Amino acid sequence: MPTSFTLNGQPATLDADPTMPLLWALREVAGLTGTKFGCGMALCGACTVHLDGQPVRSCSLPLASVAGRQVVTIEGLQSKPAKAVQAAWIKMQVPQCGYCQSGQIMSAAALLEGNAAPSDEDIDGAMSGNICRCATYVRIRAAIHAAAEALKA
């Protein structure tokens, strides 16, 4: 059964089982592999995408639930805060293995969309659902602060 929604700013219709997790519809049907599978239980954050501007875990979200809505994946992240986050990630050399980074960036960009000057507590709260096996949390926090500073310029 086809599901129609906006994907990375473009109309999209995916012909897949409406109960299929959005993660797999994005990866297997739409061919967008930047969103990663981590745990399959919405606990690690590797599968984070934006749904109507809010970060959500796509591994536990049925495809049917995005009908008529806007989904943005790491491939479609284009906002000014998102670009600041991506630049800070590179400058601060945040990734170690890199596996969780698309989810980390999606959560960080969503944070800065709503809070241009987050405190450490704000960052910790927004990023608490994203696990990094390499434990780059100090660099992640520093990069978010750097991105926030860049947005002031």
Side-chain angles (χ1 to χ4, degrees):
M1 178 171 172
T3 301
S4 297
F5 58 103
T6 301
L7 178 58
N8 295 333
Q10 301 296 319
T13 300
L14 300 184
D15 192 8
D17 181 341
T19 65
M20 174 186 278
L22 177 61
L23 169 66
W24 297 115
L26 292 170
R27 291 182 60 82
E28 303 295 327
V29 181
L32 298 173
T33 58
T35 304
K36 304 298 182 196
F37 172 79
C39 67
M41 298 183 295
L43 299 173
C44 74
C47 67
T48 303
V49 299
H50 292 176
L51 178 60
D52 296 333
Q54 296 301 308
V56 296
R57 308 302 184 244
S58 63
C59 71
S60 63
L61 191 66
L63 176 60
S65 67
V66 303
R69 299 175 76 183
Q70 293 187 25
V71 174
V72 176
T73 67
I74 191 72
E75 292 92 344
L77 205 55
Q78 297 292 323
S79 70
K80 188 174 178 180
K83 289 180 181 192
V85 167
Q86 291 167 328
W89 242 245
I90 293 166
K91 182 179 180 184
M92 308 290 292
Q93 298 180 347
V94 172
Q96 192 163 323
C97 83
Y99 194 82
C100 70
Q101 295 307 303
S102 62
Q104 299 278 359
I105 289 170
M106 295 301 289
S107 290
L111 168 63
L112 291 180
E113 289 283 349
N115 182 350
S119 66
D120 284 349
E121 293 77 25
D122 295 332
I123 293 170
D124 291 349
M127 303 303 291
S128 67
N130 292 84
I131 296 172
C132 176
R133 290 183 180 180
C134 302
T136 62
Y137 301 112
V138 172
R139 292 194 309 238
I140 289 168
R141 185 189 289 163
I144 293 170
H145 281 301
E149 285 298 316
L151 289 171
K152 291 179 185 176

